[in-house]
Amino acid sequence: MNWTIEAICTGKAVPFNGAEKSAFAKQPQPGPLKINAEGFEIDEQADRKVHGGPEMAVHLYPLDHHEFWLGALMGHELLDEPGAFGSNLVVRGIDETQVHIGDRFRLGRALLEISQARQPCWKIEHRFQRKGMVAMIIDTAKSGWYFRVVEKGIAEAGDALELVEIGHEGWTVERAFKTLFSPSSSKEELAELSQLERLSPGHKARAAKRAGL
């Protein structure tokens, strides 16, 4: 199974909220791009404590979700931009219900592995200047996800994102997100989530804490 990469987007850290910087806004880039252990070589993250690093190297926010947000926000000019939600990879026809924690994908010469769902934060609402978006993401599990880089490589728009290995079968990104962020999740399910080998350490720790482990 594979999907076509319509664009690869990267960003530079620029003023975002007063003196605070962010590279949230990402734009399509031409030509082959290098993918290193911490993502695309020319991509930046302003706050390295909560963004970027090897467990959040490459972000994919499904392009099909833009249609949902057009309705939810009653239109918004930012939704014309493929990297409006900070996504590095612009892909149609894929979402959180179809992929699992630990799934591996070949992208160009690189090999990527899904490490965790994306945790929504205030920057989404600040960028769009709309309140309530974080709550809607939690309610709908339209979170997007992050990849870690298993093998470095080069990729460009037009390449296939090819599924080459299923990770933790039964643990879709949607299920992992709902389990981690829903207040009604059972301790048993949280404990199981915390033991997934390919889940990022940060999300393992959060699931374990909520499970009381």
Side-chain angles (χ1 to χ4, degrees):
M1 186 178 296
N2 62 72
W3 297 263
T4 300
I5 301 296
E6 295 189 15
I8 294 175
C9 298
T10 66
K12 296 291 185 182
V14 297
F16 183 74
N17 182 26
E20 185 169 355
K21 290 186 175 182
S22 174
F24 195 129
K26 299 189 184 297
Q27 298 297 325
Q29 301 298 326
L33 299 172
K34 292 182 180 179
I35 306 174
N36 295 324
E38 297 196 358
F40 288 99
E41 188 176 61
I42 62 172
D43 198 30
E44 293 183 357
Q45 298 84 34
D47 186 351
R48 298 287 293 179
K49 292 180 180 179
V50 294
H51 297 290
E55 295 299 321
M56 295 182 282
V58 176
H59 177 46
L60 192 158
Y61 193 80
L63 188 61
D64 291 347
H65 289 349
H66 284 217
E67 191 67 30
F68 165 81
W69 289 109
L70 277 170
L73 301 179
M74 300 181 68
H76 200 294
E77 64 276 6
L78 286 179
L79 293 170
D80 292 332
E81 300 180 11
F85 285 86
S87 186
N88 294 121
L89 303 181
V90 180
V91 189
R92 297 181 193 274
I94 190 172
D95 66 26
E96 297 82 359
T97 68
Q98 299 167 277
V99 296
H100 310 82
I101 300 299
D103 281 359
R104 289 186 171 187
F105 295 81
R106 183 64 64 181
L107 173 60
R109 300 180 193 173
L111 182 64
L112 308 180
E113 180 179 276
I114 295 179
S115 56
Q116 65 171 69
R118 178 185 179 176
Q119 180 177 343
C121 71
W122 65 269
K123 289 184 178 179
I124 292 173
E125 295 182 357
H126 182 76
R127 173 156 164 73
F128 281 83
Q129 291 296 295
R130 300 289 178 87
K131 297 293 186 181
M133 293 182 71
V134 169
M136 279 192 279
I137 290 171
I138 291 173
D139 287 345
T140 63
K142 295 183 184 299
S143 62
W145 59 89
Y146 285 107
F147 298 95
R148 60 173 65 90
V149 178
V150 180
E151 296 175 6
K152 302 174 187 178
I154 297 174
E156 62 184 316
D159 283 346
L161 182 68
E162 180 185 5
L163 178 63
V164 296
E165 182 184 331
I166 299 294
H168 296 290
E169 194 167 8
W171 277 100
T172 63
V173 169
E174 179 188 58
R175 182 187 176 196
F177 181 87
K178 287 181 174 179
T179 299
L180 194 59
F181 295 104
S182 171
S184 61
S185 298
S186 70
K187 289 188 176 181
E188 291 76 16
E189 194 169 27
L190 284 160
E192 182 181 342
L193 178 62
S194 75
Q195 297 303 308
L196 298 186
E197 180 183 358
R198 295 184 179 181
L199 183 66
S200 70
H203 279 202
K204 281 184 183 180
R206 180 169 182 150
K209 182 176 180 179
R210 288 198 58 206
L213 301 178

